[in-house]
Amino acid sequence: MATLIWQAPMRYFSAGDEAAFFSWLQSISGVVSVKGYGRELHIQLRSKKLSVQSLREFLALYQRYQGNMSELAQFANQANSSWFADPNAYWYSQVFGSAHAA
């Protein structure tokens, strides 16, 4: 198992927005559990190797809720490098920084 720690401060605009966030997060394939510890969310994953669909959902969730997208860089691997580490992708600089060499 792997743990993803969401360290960005959370800001919800309504109770429904908060419910939507947790519903979306828990619907991502590979997410086993979500627990809050202070200002952190510990997201327990079945594996550090995420499917393309799951990784894309995390990218969208982090973008929408202004998470620290660099937390997702740990999921880069040879199998997904062609699209995940694409310097033209909207998330690239937020995930890898501008100095990352693909």
Side-chain angles (χ1 to χ4, degrees):
M1 282 211 223
T3 302
L4 177 60
I5 299 175
W6 184 301
Q7 297 179 345
M10 298 305 299
R11 181 173 177 198
Y12 306 110
F13 296 100
S14 71
D17 188 33
E18 182 176 6
F21 170 81
F22 283 101
S23 177
W24 185 3
L25 177 58
Q26 292 172 329
S27 76
I28 297 173
S29 181
V31 172
V32 175
S33 68
V34 179
K35 295 181 181 165
Y37 294 97
R39 294 185 159 257
E40 294 179 345
L41 280 181
H42 290 225
I43 305 162
Q44 194 73 33
L45 303 170
R46 212 178 335 273
S47 166
K48 192 170 180 173
K49 186 174 180 181
L50 295 175
S51 69
V52 169
Q53 181 180 350
S54 293
L55 186 51
R56 287 190 181 276
E57 288 297 321
F58 273 115
L59 286 165
L61 186 77
Y62 268 66
Q63 181 72 25
R64 163 64 181 86
Y65 287 95
Q66 300 177 346
N68 180 355
M69 292 182 71
S70 67
E71 296 169 10
L72 300 176
Q74 65 182 304
F75 299 111
N77 60 45
Q78 250 182 337
N80 65 26
S81 66
S82 64
W83 67 270
F84 186 44
D86 177 358
N88 297 314
Y90 76 86
W91 61 79
Y92 182 84
S93 64
Q94 294 173 357
V95 173
F96 300 107
S98 57
H100 178 75

